[in-house]
Amino acid sequence: MDTIASLFSFITTPVSWVIVQFHSVYGAIFGPDTGWAWGLSIVSLVILIRICLIPLFVKQIKATRAMQTLQPEMKKIQERYKNDKQRQSEEMMKLYKESGTNPLSSCLPILAQSPFFFALYHVLNGIASGTTIGVINESLLASARQAHIFGAPLAAKFKDGADTVHALGATVTDVRVVTAVMIILMSASQFYTQRQLMTKNVDTTVKTPFMQQQKMLMYVFPIMFAVFGINFPVGVLVYWLTTNVWTMGQQMYVIRNNPTPGSKAQAAYLERLTKHVTHHGKIRRRSEKTIVKAIVAKGRERNESERKFINALSKAGLAAQTDGTVTKSESQNLVEAEDGTTTTAAARRQQPKRQTKAQRQSGAKQGEGASAQGEAESTQGEGASAQGEAESTQGEAEPATSLEKSDEPQDDAKPAAAKQPQKPSSGSTRSRAQSGQRKGGPQRPKSPSKK
């Protein structure tokens, strides 16, 4: 580690100058020889470096998402040229060039931060050995050697012996307890950062080898920090722990406000955005407009969460525009289907609901009862028709009798209704109409049956 740190000795002067400037500020508050003054100076150095690396961090996010998008194509190339490694490498480089993606972009923040890390290690090593380095003179060196963080000197290591630790004014127990706790916190923060990236901000619809690599790194990095951490001075552990905490917070912010499409974080983000837009009726932030603009541009290629977002806006009488804004829609009942087409919500509501098995069985029983009742009524109607035909036949027979006995005197006491022939009943008329006979006059002869 000392040999590697010596390679970055050219940057020790700027790093030591930044630490001294922060120490002059915190020393006026907490005292120049306290661990708070020197510890907060290292923390401020980390924050300053990470703020300068924000553009690289944004580039890292874009590169990581681009690599996730290219994973299916990369897998096809590997399978197609699995026996020709040279052709496989050429096709990979061609794919990277066409998509404008660089695999090293995802490592840019770590690579850019490495010189500052080794320079700080070189400065703290000089403090431990009592050697002035950079802009740190003898008075600052004596002040730094007296600074302790929870009883552990800034330049002490977990593996230092009793003589070295006593020379710095501390005990081996204090140094090892403090360094062990800081190493555990450093490894745990690294594990949590990688885990939230895998569980919340990864497109779950695409299963690629890249996801398996990220899952493996989730367990490898914490182990690496634990192994190398026992060789780091307390000041370096403060630097690296602050870096991990900063990265974890930065990652949480990105996952919450700019999630990966198709991930669980995107579903939660669009749900929050739906509530906000339906309540206020517009989109205020530029980042929200950028996300809505990308969703509108996808069209039929939207995932399930994005379709739910568009449908929720439609139900609320809003429509997302191509520039990322939201306006009131003319048709408030348009709903987007899974294939990207739109249908009216009213048409969907008119579709009958699917009945349960018990409802279908009860409906069938009611239908059978109604059918039986109809058959009974039909039988009753046929009986009434037969009765009407009998009455009609009797009524036609009585006038014939009175004509035969026309020579005999009629009895005046008989009612006038008895002298006239009775009209056939409606039942008889229906029966004759059904049998094909005319109501009055001569009957139509039946056609002879064809043999």
Side-chain angles (χ1 to χ4, degrees), residues 230-291:
I230 60 177
N231 297 314
F232 292 161
V234 173
V236 175
L237 292 178
V238 172
Y239 174 91
W240 206 252
L241 178 59
T242 307
T243 299
N244 285 359
V245 173
W246 177 278
T247 304
M248 182 174 63
Q250 196 174 40
Q251 185 96 334
M252 292 175 66
Y253 177 82
V254 171
I255 290 175
R256 179 177 175 83
N257 296 283
N258 191 16
T260 301
S263 62
K264 294 181 179 179
Q266 189 199 29
Y269 175 82
L270 291 179
E271 185 177 354
R272 295 193 303 269
L273 184 60
T274 301
K275 294 180 181 179
H276 173 77
V277 174
T278 53
H279 180 70
H280 297 282
K282 59 182 179 179
I283 295 178
R284 299 177 180 177
R285 298 181 182 177
R286 182 180 299 177
S287 59
E288 295 175 348
K289 291 182 179 179
T290 303
I291 293 176

Side-chain angles (χ1 to χ4, degrees), residues 58-317:
V58 174
K59 194 171 183 179
Q60 178 194 19
I61 293 174
K62 294 181 179 179
T64 303
R65 293 184 179 178
M67 289 294 295
Q68 291 177 352
T69 305
L70 293 178
Q71 284 304 308
E73 298 296 330
M74 293 171 60
K75 189 175 181 180
K76 291 179 182 179
I77 293 175
Q78 291 174 355
E79 293 177 353
R80 185 180 303 173
Y81 305 105
K82 58 182 178 181
N83 296 326
D84 190 353
K85 298 297 182 182
Q86 183 178 357
R87 182 64 183 278
Q88 187 181 117
S89 301
E90 292 176 357
E91 293 295 329
M92 288 287 188
M93 296 302 296
K94 184 179 179 181
L95 180 63
Y96 293 149
K97 187 176 181 180
E98 291 176 354
S99 59
T101 305
N102 188 358
L104 297 178
S105 299
S106 59
C107 303
L108 282 177
I110 297 177
L111 296 176
Q113 192 176 339
S114 298
F116 300 97
F117 170 77
F118 288 112
L120 179 62
Y121 182 88
H122 195 52
V123 170
L124 294 174
N125 240 14
I127 293 173
S129 60
T131 305
T132 58
I133 186 170
V135 298
I136 297 179
N137 53 28
E138 293 183 356
S139 61
L140 291 173
L141 179 63
S143 174
R145 288 176 65 87
Q146 294 177 10
H148 292 67
I149 297 177
F150 300 109
L154 286 177
K157 304 176 186 177
F158 182 86
K159 295 175 66 175
D160 284 345
D163 297 336
T164 305
V165 173
H166 287 309
L168 295 173
T171 63
V172 176
T173 304
D174 292 340
V175 171
R176 292 187 175 177
V177 168
V178 173
T179 53
V181 171
M182 295 182 72
I183 289 170
I184 292 173
L185 292 176
M186 185 174 61
S187 300
S189 59
Q190 177 65 32
F191 177 80
Y192 181 78
T193 301
Q194 194 69 19
R195 178 176 174 79
Q196 74 172 349
L197 178 66
M198 290 298 301
T199 57
K200 295 181 179 180
N201 206 37
V202 173
D203 188 358
T204 56
T205 60
V206 180
K207 304 295 181 181
T208 61
F210 181 76
M211 295 178 61
Q212 299 298 328
Q213 295 174 5
Q214 293 294 319
K215 187 178 293 185
M216 182 180 65
L217 293 176
M218 181 173 64
Y219 297 99
V220 171
F221 275 153
I223 296 175
M224 290 176 60
F225 279 114
V227 172
F228 290 111
I230 60 177
N231 297 314
F232 292 161
V234 173
V236 175
L237 292 178
V238 172
Y239 174 91
W240 206 252
L241 178 59
T242 307
T243 299
N244 285 359
V245 173
W246 177 278
T247 304
M248 182 174 63
Q250 196 174 40
Q251 185 96 334
M252 292 175 66
Y253 177 82
V254 171
I255 290 175
R256 179 177 175 83
N257 296 283
N258 191 16
T260 301
S263 62
K264 294 181 179 179
Q266 189 199 29
Y269 175 82
L270 291 179
E271 185 177 354
R272 295 193 303 269
L273 184 60
T274 301
K275 294 180 181 179
H276 173 77
V277 174
T278 53
H279 180 70
H280 297 282
K282 59 182 179 179
I283 295 178
R284 299 177 180 177
R285 298 181 182 177
R286 182 180 299 177
S287 59
E288 295 175 348
K289 291 182 179 179
T290 303
I291 293 176
V292 174
K293 182 179 179 180
I295 293 174
V296 174
K298 285 185 177 181
R300 293 177 179 270
E301 297 180 357
R302 299 182 188 124
N303 55 46
E304 184 179 356
S305 301
E306 293 167 347
R307 284 195 295 269
K308 287 182 179 179
F309 172 71
I310 297 296
N311 290 342
L313 293 181
S314 300
K315 291 178 181 178

Side-chain angles (χ1 to χ4, degrees), residues 391-438:
E391 291 177 355
S392 177
T393 305
Q394 183 179 1
E396 291 175 354
E398 287 180 355
T401 307
S402 60
L403 289 174
E404 292 176 355
K405 298 179 179 182
S406 58
D407 297 333
E408 297 179 4
Q410 301 294 334
D411 190 1
D412 295 335
K414 291 182 180 180
K419 297 180 181 179
Q420 298 178 358
Q422 295 183 357
K423 295 182 180 181
S425 62
S426 60
S428 175
T429 306
R430 277 202 309 271
S431 177
R432 291 181 180 179
Q434 291 176 357
S435 61
Q437 296 180 359
R438 296 182 180 181

Side-chain angles (χ1 to χ4, degrees), residues 11-26:
I11 204 174
T12 53
T13 300
V15 170
S16 60
W17 182 84
V18 173
I19 292 177
V20 169
Q21 299 305 314
F22 282 119
H23 175 263
S24 62
V25 175
Y26 293 118

